């Protein structure tokens, strides 16, 4: 079976599985409970125990945005560092090649 057939077979199985599910919310409840969102709600309740549910939702949303913004920042910093290291390596190799060329040229002239 090639990859296209396997992919179609998996999609078919997923569609059949969801077709047999009458309560989609109940089927995905465990995943929602384990999601990051509940973690942010729990942290918001911990930070503001006397807040209303609307306030808790707002704080949780801010915590979620802060979390993903921090991840994006760290990702950008890592990409920048990786790029700088690659450029430094490329520059070092070019200088090494030039030095080898110059050394070969001077020994050939002698």
């Amino acid at each position: 079976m090639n990859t296209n057939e396997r992919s179609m077979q998996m999609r078919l199985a997923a569609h059949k599985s969801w077709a047999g599910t009458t309560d989609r919310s109940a089927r995905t409840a465990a995943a929602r409970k384990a999601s990051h969102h509940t973690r942010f709600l729990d942290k918001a309740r911990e930070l503001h125990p006397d807040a209303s549910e609307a306030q808790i939702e707002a704080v949780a949303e801010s915590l979620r945005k802060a979390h993903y913004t921090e991840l994006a920042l760290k990702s950008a910093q890592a990409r920048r560092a990786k790029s700088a290291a690659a450029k430094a390596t490329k520059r070092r190799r070019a200088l090494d090649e030039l030095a080898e060329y110059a050394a070969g040229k001077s020994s050939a002239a002698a």
Side-chain angles (χ1 to χ4, degrees), residues 24-76:
R24 289 177 174 234
S25 181
R27 180 174 171 178
T28 60
R32 283 193 318 278
K33 185 176 181 187
S35 74
H36 284 298
H37 183 68
T38 57
R39 180 178 69 149
F40 299 126
L41 285 173
D42 292 344
K43 182 68 174 172
R45 286 188 182 101
E46 179 183 312
L47 291 171
H48 305 285
D50 298 331
S52 69
E53 275 306 305
Q55 291 170 326
I56 293 293
E57 285 287 333
V59 170
E61 182 65 15
S62 291
L63 289 170
R64 184 189 69 80
K65 286 179 179 181
H67 173 74
Y68 285 108
T69 301
E70 183 179 26
L71 289 179
L73 174 64
K74 287 180 180 181
S75 175

Side-chain angles (χ1 to χ4, degrees), residues 79-95:
R79 285 192 314 273
R80 189 178 315 110
K82 184 178 178 181
S83 175
K87 285 178 183 176
T89 299
K90 187 175 180 181
R91 186 175 297 123
R92 192 171 37 253
R93 285 183 184 156
L95 290 173

